[in-house]
Amino acid sequence: MTWGVQYKYSDNAVLMVFASHYYDADDYIRDYSEFTRMSKAK
C-alpha cells in the first residue's frame, strides 16, 4: 500500500501514467485517515 499525491503542476499540465492494469476507481482509497487505518491492520 502506497499513498501518493501529485501537486505543483502548471494549469495546462498533463499527467501521463503507464500501468500494468486498467484503472478501477474501486481499487483506490481516497481518504488518508482510512488509508492509515487500513495500513496498520496489515
Side-chain angles (χ1 to χ4, degrees), residues 3-4 6 9-10 14 16-17 19-20 23-26 28-32 34-38 40 42:
W3 184 264
Q6 292 76 40
Y9 291 104
S10 63
V14 175
M16 181 181 285
V17 177
S20 59
Y23 173 77
D24 183 354
D26 294 334
Y28 293 84
I29 302 169
R30 306 281 180 202
D31 181 61
Y32 187 71
E34 180 183 352
F35 169 78
T36 56
R37 183 172 35 82
M38 290 183 72
K40 289 177 184 176
K42 292 198 176 229

